[in-house]
Each structure stands twice: as C-alpha cells, then as structure tokens.
Amino acid sequence: MEEVTKVPPPVLERRVRQRQTTVSVLKSKLKHGVTCSVPKVRSTLTGFFPVVRWLPKYKLKEYVLGDLMSGVIIGIILVPQAIAYCLLAGVPPIYGLYTSFYANIIYFLMGTSRHVSVGIFSLMSLMVGQVVNKEMFLAGFDLNEDSTASGLVLNASLGSNLTIGSPHSVELMGVQCGKECYSISIAAALTFMVGVYQLLMAVFRLGFVSVYLSSPMLDGFATGASFTILTVQAKYLLGIKIPRHQGYGTVVVTWFNIFANIHNTNLCDLITSAICISILVAGKEIQERYKDRLKIPFPTELIIVAGATLASHFGDLNSKYGSSVSGHIPTGFIPPQVPSFTLMPRLALDAIPLAVISFAFTVSLSEMFAKKNGYTVRPNQEMLAISFCNIIPSFFHCFTTSAALAKTMVKDSTGCQTQISSLISALVVLLVLLFFAPYFYALQKCVLACIIIVSLRGALRKFKDVPAKLRASRDDGIVWLVAMFATALISVEIGLVVGVVFSMICVIYKTQNPKVSLLGKASDVDLYEDVEEYKNLMPPPRVQIFRFQAPLYYANKDSFLRSLYKAVGVEPFLELTKRRKEEKKAKEMSSKQIKANGDKSNGEVVIGLVERKLDFHTIVLDCSAIPFIDSTGMATFEGLVKEYGEIRVNVFLANCNTSVIDLLQKGQFFGKNDKDMSSRLFHTVHAAVLHAKDSYAAAESRSEDSGV
C-alpha cells in the first residue's frame, strides 16, 4: 500500500495585541485636547490658517507670473459668471459679485489646495434659487422678475402686509422687506445654515458622508441639474416672462409653459441669444481645438458681455423692444447684517443637501488636483475652509459657494502655483464692485442666460458617454441614468436622495447576489481558481471548494446557502430526509421478510441509517473574498458544519482574514479554548485539501479495521 505523504500546513502565529479600553482612550484624547502650550497654540493656528505656513516660503520669481496670469484670467471669467448666476440664485446681480469676492479671500486664508477655485457654482446657484423662489412664493411675492409697481407701504409700524398700489413686502427682523431684500435674506440665512452644517461635519469628523456620493451618481446628478438649469434659463433666451415653477416636475412644467407662451417671444432677445450662443460656442470650440497653441484662454464671456452691453445701451433695446436688462448694479459694499434667525427653522432641511454637495465637490476637486500636481491636502481643513466660505459671507449678503470644476481647470492650465491667484481674482472683482458695476445696467438677461447655458456644455456632453458607461459597468450606468432622470424630471433635492438611495441599493443587491464559484487546481502548482473562468483546472478528487465573493451577513445568508447547495449538488437536510425514508423503508421490508419466514421471535429489527454514496466527502469554503461576517454569518457556518456532519461530510474554512477569525473565536466556533481550530481552519486552500484527504484516508482505514 502506497504511503500517504503528509504536508504540514504552514503555521502562522498571531501577534498578541493589547487593546486599550475605551475609557483610557477617551482620557488620553481629553488630556491631549485640553493641554495648552505655545507650540500647540502655534500649530493649531497655522493648521487653521494654512496661509501662515506657505506664504513665508513663497518663491516670488518662480510663482508670481503663473499666479498673476491665472488670477487675472479667473477674475475676468468670474465677473460675467457672477452676474449671470444670480439669475439662477434668484437674487440681484450685485450679490454674485459679493459672493465671488469674499469666497476667494477666505479660501486664500484657510484652504490647503493650491489650485481649487472657490466661488459661485451653477449647481449651487440653482439649488439656492429653488429655495429662494419657494420661500418668496410662500411669502406672496410675484415671481416675475419684471413685475413693477409704485406706491407706499401702509401701516408699516403695525407690521401689516397690506399695500395699495405698492410692491408687496413682509416684516423681517423688525423691518419691512421688499422683494430684493427678502430674496437675499433667504439666500444669506440658507448660506449660514449650510456653513454651520459643514462646520459641524468638520468638528465631528463626518467627512465620511461623502463616500456615499458615488462618482456615477454625482455625474448623473450634475447632468440632470444641468438640464434643469438649461430649462430654467430657456425663457430668457426667448424673452418670455413666466414665473419659475414651484414644486416637482420643473423641467416638464416649464417647457409646457414655454411652448404655451411661444407666441409672446421677444424677437430682440431671440436674435441676441442666437448671436451670443454662436459666438460663445465658436470661441469655446476654437479654444479647445487650439488649446496647445493658446497660452491663455480667450475671454469670450467678457467680450460678449462688453459688446452686448454697449449694443443694448446705444440701441436702447430695453425701451424700444422691451428687452429685459440687468438693471442698476450699485458700487461699493452694503453694510454687514446678521442673517435672519427667524427664517432658519424653515430652511434647516433645505440646507442639508446644499451642505453635502458643496463640501463633496470641494474636497473631491481638492484631492484630484493635489494628486495631479504632486502635493497633499487635508480634507478636514478643506471642510472647515468651505464652511467658513459660507458662514462669514452670509453676514455680507452672499449665497452658497463651492469649488467649481471649470474654473479650477482654467487655473491649473494657466500656470497657477498657489492661492495668491485667488487673491488676485478677488482684486479684479473688487475693481468691478468699486468702479465698473453700474456700466452693466443695460446688459440683457438673455446674454447672461447664454453664458450660463454654454457653460453647461461639458455636463450635457456626458449624454453621449452613456453607452460607454453601460458597457464598462452596467450598474454604474444605471445609477447615472436614475440619478439624472430623477434630478431632471422630479427635483434637484429629490434627485440627490434618489441617486444616493439607488446607488446604495445597487451595492446591497451586489452583496445579496454575488458571484460564486467552484475552484479547481492548476497542474503542478498549489493554485486554486474558478473552473468556469480558467482552463485546465482539475477539481480535487471528492473535495468541493466553494468561493463566495461578498461579506456574509444577515441580509445574504440565504443567498449564500442557496448558492452553496446548488454548487455542490447536495442539500444536507434533504439528503438526511432521503436517508431516513430509505431506512424506514428498509425496516418495513425486513419486518415483512421475517414474518414471511415465520420467525416468531420478539426481537426488534435494527437497521442503521442508510448511507448513500456522495461524490465528495469534504467542502472547503474559500473565505478569501469574504471581508467580514456578522453573528448571523457565524451561525450559518455553524449550521453548515453540523448539518453536513450528519451526512458525514466535513466542512473546512480556508483563507479567512483576521477579523473573520477573531469573530469566530469569540463566538466559540472552534469549540472551547479553540480546540478544533487546527482541524477546521486553514491558511490556504491547498492545506485544507491535503487535510481533507488525510482525514478521509484515516477514517476509511479505521472503518476497514472495525469491519475486520
């Protein structure tokens, strides 16, 4: 008889880890937090204001040209966009300039990214505008931008809203507030709440929330929001005066209203829009085609704004053709004011999606450009920076800000080296605020709408990438489509919620229906892989090796069991039931035979459980693709060992990670004092297969000896 060679499995000795108790950890952190020293104060301040660290090391000759160029270019881009995005935010144009100015200054002081451009962002402006318009509608204001009236407010001292031939107003913080005042009060209070939420997220280290905003979901959400922005701006292109729809289905209702009022199209606005869009698109296409030759981007928006303003002013388009214009934009700064705390309870829920989206875009862009340019950023400090970019400006009549991808890419491509460029951009905006703002009085709103719509080209172009997304990953493509359609057809806020929930459902579905496989061995190598995916693999004789590629927890334990039973072809409970039926049948047959032979003895017929010959004697569970299990998963393992043991099939575990082993040990899966650990758990599949063969050979040998 050939002697069986036993290959001892590799022995790995676990390190003894002494974990600190929760109380001692808390005491240590508290002690570290309350201790005060000069180095710690200096470190805290320089950490809170990173500019103190990098500004003294500024390489003037090396950095100044790139920072100056990118700062001026971004400032030139910011001015028309700041005015234009106020259409989306539902506030007068001057507040967009304020927002751009303060956000750049604060991020210069607090940001850790060298390239991110923080300021107005179309998606944030849209979401702010939806909240502003909703609250304005509830307060009884006429949402038509061009509605005008004249007169005085009666009974102002009594806080009455009754007006005779006068603009509608409401009392806010003891003052009668008109349309413009109330709109920016809502935006400022909302921005303050957004900043507070972001500050709390930074303090309590809740940055992990952003991990639930997957890239396909964010892309789909941004594309759906871009389509909403296009829809909201379409009425300006045609010069149709219809109020913004409140509630769900903005895209559908707005397009219905546009077509219902298409006969009211203002030809002057339509012709102006066609000319502006043609020039803007042509400028963008030329810039993209010859970007390698052009050292600086062509300021198409600024040229369009300047040309359209001059044409509108000298052509008197507002008076002659009824073209809607921006109106008076004052110079200088309005005195700061505390945001209205009476509005904040109504805005508390609206501020949550704004806070999450603003911080997610800022942190992701910071990390993306830091990685591209070879430096690191501190995500928690980025969260603090963007929170203060919202909290402080809210006292200066500003609305919600975020990092903007397009402007950040321009900064990076024009030689930006540090956030000095943001300071220069703020100075450009300051010049406009102090001297040039009134010159934009005659600027048509349709021109601003053209700037907004053309800026959406990048997001809207993603529609043509949908087939490629679906080919690369069907799940990611479906998440993109669901987030996009929910955002565009229902609302931006609901679209965000639907996108997050649906993407999480997809992840849960994957864990509940993961890939499972039976493994085979490669010839002459101790390597085991999926027999359906690789050629020339042979399953070990009478050993089934099963791999489950997902965590094993309460939600997918039934899927795990079904997959295992289907793969090995034997369900232990059914097999045991069949054997018991055959045993009962054998007893009845034996009894009948005894009676037929006339045996009068009272002895009982003893027949053991009938054994059916199975194709395997051992199941090896390859746990290499199981990152974690819970108590239900451990109970599932225990049930398998017990149930298959009743039909004389061994169940071994292989390739378990340490967290799975620790949980199994705590639950006494290996018996008291882990006495069965060496016979149930193996570090490799090959070790488990060798042990299975040896155990079976030993059992067969004992069975033959007992038979003799």
mmCIF file of all heavy atoms in Angstrom, residues 669-680:
data_model
loop_
_atom_site.group_PDB
_atom_site.id
_atom_site.type_symbol
_atom_site.label_atom_id
_atom_site.label_comp_id
_atom_site.label_asym_id
_atom_site.label_seq_id
_atom_site.Cartn_x
_atom_site.Cartn_y
_atom_site.Cartn_z
ATOM 1 N N PHE A 669 -16.733 29.219 17.737
ATOM 2 C CA PHE A 669 -16.992 28.368 16.578
ATOM 3 C C PHE A 669 -16.060 27.160 16.575
ATOM 4 O O PHE A 669 -16.431 26.073 16.113
ATOM 5 C CB PHE A 669 -16.797 29.196 15.298
ATOM 6 C CG PHE A 669 -16.892 28.396 14.035
ATOM 7 C CD1 PHE A 669 -18.125 28.011 13.523
ATOM 8 C CD2 PHE A 669 -15.745 28.029 13.331
ATOM 9 C CE1 PHE A 669 -18.205 27.273 12.348
ATOM 10 C CE2 PHE A 669 -15.823 27.295 12.162
ATOM 11 C CZ PHE A 669 -17.059 26.915 11.668
ATOM 12 N N PHE A 670 -14.851 27.321 17.095
ATOM 13 C CA PHE A 670 -13.864 26.241 17.109
ATOM 14 C C PHE A 670 -13.899 25.441 18.409
ATOM 15 O O PHE A 670 -12.957 24.704 18.703
ATOM 16 C CB PHE A 670 -12.465 26.814 16.908
ATOM 17 C CG PHE A 670 -12.320 27.624 15.647
ATOM 18 C CD1 PHE A 670 -12.112 28.994 15.704
ATOM 19 C CD2 PHE A 670 -12.423 27.020 14.409
ATOM 20 C CE1 PHE A 670 -11.988 29.737 14.548
ATOM 21 C CE2 PHE A 670 -12.298 27.763 13.244
ATOM 22 C CZ PHE A 670 -12.082 29.125 13.309
ATOM 23 N N GLY A 671 -14.974 25.592 19.179
ATOM 24 C CA GLY A 671 -15.089 24.863 20.426
ATOM 25 C C GLY A 671 -14.440 25.598 21.588
ATOM 26 O O GLY A 671 -13.863 26.679 21.429
ATOM 27 N N LYS A 672 -14.535 25.025 22.735
ATOM 28 C CA LYS A 672 -13.967 25.631 23.932
ATOM 29 C C LYS A 672 -12.445 25.673 23.824
ATOM 30 O O LYS A 672 -11.803 24.686 23.461
ATOM 31 C CB LYS A 672 -14.385 24.820 25.162
ATOM 32 C CG LYS A 672 -14.122 25.540 26.466
ATOM 33 C CD LYS A 672 -14.695 24.767 27.646
ATOM 34 C CE LYS A 672 -14.455 25.526 28.937
ATOM 35 N NZ LYS A 672 -14.969 24.796 30.116
ATOM 36 N N ASN A 673 -11.876 26.830 24.122
ATOM 37 C CA ASN A 673 -10.423 27.056 24.031
ATOM 38 C C ASN A 673 -9.877 26.773 22.617
ATOM 39 O O ASN A 673 -8.709 26.399 22.453
ATOM 40 C CB ASN A 673 -9.665 26.198 25.056
ATOM 41 C CG ASN A 673 -10.054 26.549 26.476
ATOM 42 O OD1 ASN A 673 -10.300 27.724 26.788
ATOM 43 N ND2 ASN A 673 -10.141 25.544 27.334
ATOM 44 N N ASP A 674 -10.737 26.914 21.621
ATOM 45 C CA ASP A 674 -10.355 26.747 20.215
ATOM 46 C C ASP A 674 -9.720 25.389 19.946
ATOM 47 O O ASP A 674 -8.773 25.254 19.161
ATOM 48 C CB ASP A 674 -9.376 27.859 19.783
ATOM 49 C CG ASP A 674 -9.988 29.240 19.891
ATOM 50 O OD1 ASP A 674 -11.209 29.358 19.698
ATOM 51 O OD2 ASP A 674 -9.249 30.204 20.171
ATOM 52 N N LYS A 675 -10.261 24.339 20.573
ATOM 53 C CA LYS A 675 -9.650 23.016 20.450
ATOM 54 C C LYS A 675 -9.759 22.443 19.026
ATOM 55 O O LYS A 675 -8.923 21.647 18.612
ATOM 56 C CB LYS A 675 -10.276 22.040 21.458
ATOM 57 C CG LYS A 675 -11.765 21.807 21.291
ATOM 58 C CD LYS A 675 -12.300 20.882 22.378
ATOM 59 C CE LYS A 675 -13.799 20.664 22.272
ATOM 60 N NZ LYS A 675 -14.198 19.979 21.041
ATOM 61 N N ASP A 676 -10.798 22.845 18.268
ATOM 62 C CA ASP A 676 -10.967 22.320 16.905
ATOM 63 C C ASP A 676 -10.412 23.263 15.842
ATOM 64 O O ASP A 676 -10.639 23.048 14.640
ATOM 65 C CB ASP A 676 -12.459 22.078 16.617
ATOM 66 C CG ASP A 676 -13.054 21.047 17.551
ATOM 67 O OD1 ASP A 676 -12.311 20.149 17.966
ATOM 68 O OD2 ASP A 676 -14.259 21.149 17.866
ATOM 69 N N MET A 677 -9.697 24.305 16.255
ATOM 70 C CA MET A 677 -9.254 25.311 15.291
ATOM 71 C C MET A 677 -8.312 24.725 14.242
ATOM 72 O O MET A 677 -8.432 25.016 13.044
ATOM 73 C CB MET A 677 -8.567 26.465 16.028
ATOM 74 C CG MET A 677 -8.296 27.672 15.170
ATOM 75 S SD MET A 677 -7.793 29.066 16.192
ATOM 76 C CE MET A 677 -7.592 30.328 14.946
ATOM 77 N N SER A 678 -7.394 23.884 14.674
ATOM 78 C CA SER A 678 -6.402 23.338 13.737
ATOM 79 C C SER A 678 -7.021 22.364 12.746
ATOM 80 O O SER A 678 -6.457 22.109 11.678
ATOM 81 C CB SER A 678 -5.280 22.640 14.513
ATOM 82 O OG SER A 678 -5.819 21.594 15.302
ATOM 83 N N SER A 679 -8.203 21.808 13.075
ATOM 84 C CA SER A 679 -8.830 20.839 12.175
ATOM 85 C C SER A 679 -9.965 21.452 11.351
ATOM 86 O O SER A 679 -10.550 20.778 10.508
ATOM 87 C CB SER A 679 -9.385 19.651 12.982
ATOM 88 O OG SER A 679 -10.345 20.107 13.913
ATOM 89 N N ARG A 680 -10.297 22.723 11.602
ATOM 90 C CA ARG A 680 -11.370 23.373 10.840
ATOM 91 C C ARG A 680 -10.900 24.577 10.028
ATOM 92 O O ARG A 680 -11.534 24.943 9.051
ATOM 93 C CB ARG A 680 -12.486 23.851 11.790
ATOM 94 C CG ARG A 680 -13.349 22.761 12.349
ATOM 95 C CD ARG A 680 -14.559 23.374 13.022
ATOM 96 N NE ARG A 680 -15.329 22.394 13.756
ATOM 97 C CZ ARG A 680 -16.396 22.689 14.494
ATOM 98 N NH1 ARG A 680 -16.778 23.951 14.592
ATOM 99 N NH2 ARG A 680 -17.050 21.760 15.130
#
